[in-house]
Amino acid sequence: FAGYISQVLKNYTDHACDGEYVSLRCPHRTTISIQSSFYGRIVPSHQLCPSRYPHSYATLIKEDVACSVGTSLQKMLDECQDRRSCQFLVNSRLFGTDPCPGTGKYLLVWYKCRPNEYKSKVACEDDKLRLSCKKSMVIAIYSAVFGRTQGGSLECPYQNLGMPMIECQSATALQLMIKRCHGKRSCSIYASTYEFGDPCYPGIQKHLNVIYTCDNTPLLLPVDETEPPGLGSSSSSGSMEPVGVGTEMALLSNILAAYAFIT
């Protein structure tokens, strides 16, 4: 369960130079969710994706380092979104017109691994949000947003009280939902500024939107919240070897703390 949670929460980054293959992959029971993408060059070649051919210094200083295309995100969505894995060769022809001929380019991709089966719940400001799973299953939080999103919420329609429609989100919503709900059969929380703070201008109506999944693993012991989780070396390790429940939950606590800190 700790390994599954850490894979779901992790933000993945991958890159490939022109002429190389980019390969994205997600663990079992999850699929790729593209967050952002960039194709072009914004740093000199001696820092990233050096040219395969020798260049003089005079040539290097003429290199275009303000080069990008606007189609990279859509291309990544077309190739990889909602798949378990994807792989393709990176070159300028994939993205349409070459924005800087003669300059070697690269692809940067940021993505997450979304559970195949997930649930979404919304609570309007000051209402209570309740999450629950069936017997022998526990909650795994994927994302949480408290505030006001540009698209709004059908469940909580925006009432125009003379306030501008501005997107605003709490920076701690995911961390708080994980602390309250992960590894439990059920939990509840009020969608209030008392819990999440107020990320918006006064008077703007907010809502809480949580995406989660139920994992069919035995219930684990709750994380000991009497001591703050540390940021030890175990949190940065990519491997999650089978360990005892106590050690496993300590590792999970470190992972969640590290993720919240990075966020």
Side-chain angles (χ1 to χ4, degrees):
F1 181 70
Y4 176 72
I5 283 282
S6 67
Q7 295 297 320
V8 168
L9 292 179
K10 184 177 179 181
N11 283 304
Y12 294 86
T13 305
D14 203 355
H15 84 278
C17 310
D18 275 344
E20 296 178 349
Y21 282 91
V22 64
S23 180
L24 312 186
R25 185 177 300 276
C26 279
H28 183 56
R29 291 184 295 162
T30 66
T31 54
I32 296 168
S33 175
I34 301 294
Q35 304 295 299
S36 184
S37 176
F38 170 86
Y39 177 74
R41 178 170 292 281
I42 54 174
V43 297
S45 58
H46 67 272
Q47 294 182 13
L48 180 64
C49 293
S51 173
R52 298 180 180 182
Y53 306 100
H55 288 280
S56 66
Y57 179 75
T59 303
L60 284 175
I61 61 175
K62 295 178 182 177
E63 187 175 50
D64 190 344
V65 291
C67 164
S68 64
V69 299
T71 57
S72 62
L73 177 58
Q74 187 58 52
K75 182 62 178 177
M76 291 306 305
L77 291 172
D78 293 342
E79 295 287 339
C80 301
Q81 185 76 352
D82 297 328
R83 299 184 182 181
R84 172 84 187 280
S85 64
C86 67
Q87 181 177 349
F88 58 89
L89 185 67
V90 175
N91 59 65
S92 60
R93 292 188 298 275
L94 285 171
F95 302 98
T97 305
D98 191 338
C100 46
T103 295
K105 294 165 282 294
Y106 51 83
L107 175 68
L108 292 171
V109 184
W110 294 266
Y111 67 102
K112 294 181 72 173
C113 293
R114 179 170 54 198
N116 290 339
E117 297 181 4
Y118 58 89
K119 304 177 182 180
S120 177
K121 278 206 169 182
V122 175
C124 303
E125 188 171 2
D126 295 327
D127 288 346
K128 181 182 282 189
L129 180 76
R130 294 181 176 87
L131 307 182
S132 62
C133 292
K134 297 178 181 179
K135 188 177 181 180
S136 79
M137 302 184 80
V138 291
I139 297 168
I141 301 293
Y142 174 71
S143 69
V145 173
F146 177 75
R148 172 60 58 176
T149 56
Q150 201 65 259
S153 167
L154 294 176
E155 294 88 345
C156 309
Y158 180 69
Q159 296 178 9
N160 192 343
L161 302 177
M163 302 297 297
M165 183 57 180
I166 299 176
E167 183 170 324
C168 47
Q169 298 180 18
S170 168
T172 59
L174 177 60
Q175 180 184 5
L176 181 57
M177 289 304 303
I178 289 170
K179 183 179 179 181
R180 290 288 185 88
C181 298
H182 84 81
K184 298 179 180 178
R185 273 194 59 197
S186 63
C187 66
S188 61
I189 189 171
Y190 278 99
S192 68
T193 55
Y194 175 80
E195 295 282 6
F196 296 95
D198 195 343
C200 307
Y201 290 116
I204 291 182
Q205 297 164 309
K206 295 163 283 291
H207 61 268
L208 175 62
N209 185 4
V210 177
I211 296 176
Y212 70 103
T213 186
C214 292
D215 193 71
N216 56 348
T217 57
L219 287 173
L220 300 176
L221 296 175
V223 176
D224 183 3
E225 297 175 358
T226 59
E227 296 183 6
L231 294 172
S233 58
S234 60
S235 66
S236 60
S237 172
S239 62
M240 296 293 293
E241 297 297 330
V243 289
V245 169
T247 306
E248 185 175 90
M249 292 310 295
L251 289 172
L252 175 56
S253 181
N254 287 347
I255 290 166
L256 298 176
Y259 177 78
F261 175 78
I262 292 168
T263 302

